[in-house]
Amino acid sequence: MDFAGGLRADGLPAALSDPARLAAVEATALLDTGPEEVFEDLATLAARITGSGRAFVTLVDAERSFWKACVGVEAEAIADRQNPVGQSFCYFLVGLEGEPFVVDDAAADPRTADHPSVGPMSIGAWAGYPLLDPEGHVLGSFCVIDDSPRAWSPADLTTLETLARSVAAEIHLRQSLTAAKAAHQRSADLAHSLQAGLLPPRLRTIPGVESAASYSPASNRYHSDVEVGGDFYDLFHTHGPHYAAVLGDVCGKGIQAAQVSSMARYAVRADTDESGSPADRLTRLNTALLAQEAPRFLTAVYAALHPTAEGLSGALALAGHPPALIRRADGRVERLGVPGTLLGVMGTLNLTDVSFRLDPGDLLLLFTDGAIEARPRPGTAPEEAGALFDEEDLAAALAASHGMDAAATVEHLTGVLDAHHRGWASDDTALLALRATPPA
């Protein structure tokens, strides 16, 4: 036979060795894999409808015809589910570049009379259609074999053509799903990396103070990838014996939220001169956001800290953010802060500085609203679906952590939240705990 691409040195179609086609065959990830129900079922259907004794789904590389499905042939081991490409009629389909190949009498047809498989494989009649990928590469064949010569009817051939398209569609669907999963994983990895870049790799050490923090991303109810959020926190030195803790929550998610989060965090860090209370510093941050025309607004809490011989003193301001909580050494929990204007929207703010003091063993907790708006996973029992974990619940959980250090407290609160929403977080959650070190 004359093949459009010519012949290899062994007399077989040169198209068998085409690199692009071989790459497409390899990309199916079906070579040297065991039988699967979907392919066996389609081959069984072809054998039954056409009345032939055997049916095959094959993948054809440069050297062999691998039988992904074989009906009417005893071949359990993978090594037995293949034969050399030169002993298979499948190479005709590859050489014909996508055209079907149909033989009514293999021993008499001049195209196949001298083929080495006619006698050993008892091929009386053979009919096959190519398995094509979306780019038109021939991956293999969908074929039926009858022991005796016969005339394949138009209905037989229409059935084979339709089933061949079904097999090809199944292969392409699998590849698409694999590619989509890989893309989602890359997206999740990128989001994790970007989110990590928005948070300090480790918290600043403050004399006489324990510190701990955590960040938990929101769950995506539609798929498993993670979208970068806008929550951030930081703990840094400002000047002299003074330090600052800041925690914020940018509206929304995605790249814009990450940009605003990064801008806010580094703008606050850059503002380390000696002048200005927490309210002043949040006001300057608001000015910076407006000047940069930040696309998202944010809420924030800023605490100025000063270690003393008796513990920790400071002042705190809230900009559209929920109040902080103080857990006293005896287990009592107090709210701290006066509600103020959120940032990035208006030029005039109403912010209030509130002084506080932490005696040894006292703990200050800053958090984003994911910690007070946790809900159970969607689809839970109706009586639980609206169960909101609110500020009262967070205060109770904090009180229950009485006696724990900063790290254990954050771990405890994270566990309580996880138990409430059952692994499905409706919003990002950031926690930052600072505890005045108790006497040894």
Side-chain angles (χ1 to χ4, degrees):
M1 286 184 64
D2 294 328
F3 298 109
L7 302 176
R8 301 192 309 196
D10 60 2
L12 297 178
L16 285 168
S17 300
D18 175 57
R21 191 193 74 82
L22 292 176
V25 173
E26 188 69 26
T28 66
L30 295 177
L31 290 172
D32 298 313
T33 60
E36 295 182 51
E37 185 176 4
V38 62
F39 298 115
E40 296 290 337
D41 286 349
L42 290 170
T44 299
L45 183 61
R48 183 168 65 247
I49 292 177
T50 61
S52 59
R54 287 167 284 171
F56 297 80
V57 174
T58 70
L59 283 301
V60 181
D61 62 16
E63 304 298 332
R64 59 179 173 154
S65 176
F66 175 73
W67 310 337
K68 179 59 182 174
C70 54
V71 174
V73 176
E74 293 295 330
E76 296 297 328
I78 290 179
D80 298 331
R81 299 171 69 90
Q82 55 189 303
N83 61 347
V85 71
Q87 297 177 22
S88 167
F89 279 18
C90 294
Y91 73 71
F92 288 105
L93 295 169
V94 178
L96 293 172
E97 298 182 332
E99 294 297 319
F101 186 69
V102 179
V103 178
D104 293 340
D105 188 341
D109 193 304
R111 299 171 297 173
T112 57
D114 296 327
H115 197 281
S117 67
V118 172
M121 292 189 66
S122 300
I123 301 178
W126 194 96
Y129 278 78
L131 302 178
L132 302 175
D133 77 352
E135 284 70 45
H137 298 119
V138 181
L139 305 174
S141 74
F142 185 85
C143 67
V144 289
I145 301 175
D146 201 308
D147 292 350
S148 303
R150 60 175 285 180
W152 301 102
S153 70
D156 291 334
L157 300 181
T158 297
T159 296
L160 288 177
E161 183 179 17
T162 300
L163 293 178
R165 285 200 302 267
S166 297
V167 171
E170 172 67 20
I171 294 173
H172 180 54
L173 176 61
R174 292 178 176 214
Q175 290 177 297
S176 298
L177 289 174
T178 299
K181 288 179 181 178
H184 284 159
Q185 186 59 53
R186 288 193 298 271
S187 176
D189 291 343
L190 177 60
H192 282 304
S193 298
L194 182 55
Q195 193 72 61
L198 299 177
L199 304 173
R202 54 187 171 83
L203 294 175
R204 175 65 183 249
T205 300
I206 301 177
V209 178
E210 301 168 353
S211 62
S214 72
Y215 171 81
S216 301
S219 306
N220 191 314
R221 72 177 68 194
Y222 299 111
H223 43 75
S224 59
D225 63 332
V226 178
E227 191 173 17
V228 65
D231 287 13
F232 66 95
Y233 60 81
D234 206 352
L235 182 63
F236 55 95
H237 177 251
T238 54
H239 62 280
H242 299 276
Y243 299 82
V246 63
L247 183 143
D249 185 356
V250 178
C251 172
K253 304 186 189 307
I255 297 301
Q256 286 189 338
Q259 290 173 334
V260 176
S261 177
S262 178
M263 181 193 311
R265 180 183 167 213
Y266 289 105
V268 168
R269 260 188 173 263
D271 186 12
T272 58
D273 59 30
E274 298 185 16
S275 64
S277 67
D280 295 329
R281 295 179 188 275
L282 289 176
T283 298
R284 289 198 286 267
L285 172 58
N286 185 65
T287 301
L289 293 172
L290 293 175
Q292 294 295 322
E293 298 182 349
R296 303 289 178 90
F297 63 82
L298 73 148
T299 70
V301 51
Y302 188 109
L305 311 169
H306 175 55
T308 68
E310 295 78 24
L312 188 70
S313 64
L316 175 145
L318 304 174
H321 207 79
L325 296 176
I326 292 180
R327 185 194 68 199
R328 296 299 180 187
D330 60 7
R332 291 177 296 112
V333 173
E334 305 169 1
R335 287 173 174 76
L336 177 66
V338 175
T341 314
L342 54 81
L343 306 178
V345 178
M346 297 178 287
T348 302
L349 304 180
N350 182 16
L351 305 178
T352 304
D353 292 308
V354 177
S355 298
F356 66 92
R357 179 179 181 81
L358 298 184
D359 292 326
D362 292 346
L363 180 141
L364 173 67
L365 178 69
L366 310 181
F367 56 91
T368 56
D369 56 11
I372 54 172
E373 295 179 357
R375 293 176 172 82
R377 179 187 295 270
T380 54
E383 64 271 15
E384 299 177 356
L388 178 68
F389 190 92
D390 58 18
E391 291 186 52
E392 295 295 334
D393 296 312
L394 182 61
L398 183 60
S401 68
H402 173 222
M404 296 182 185
D405 62 16
T409 298
V410 168
E411 183 177 0
H412 169 75
L413 295 177
T414 300
V416 171
L417 288 166
D418 286 345
H420 184 80
H421 59 55
R422 302 178 184 179
W424 185 90
S426 59
D427 197 1
D428 304 325
T429 303
L431 303 173
L432 176 58
L434 303 171
R435 181 174 181 245
T437 307

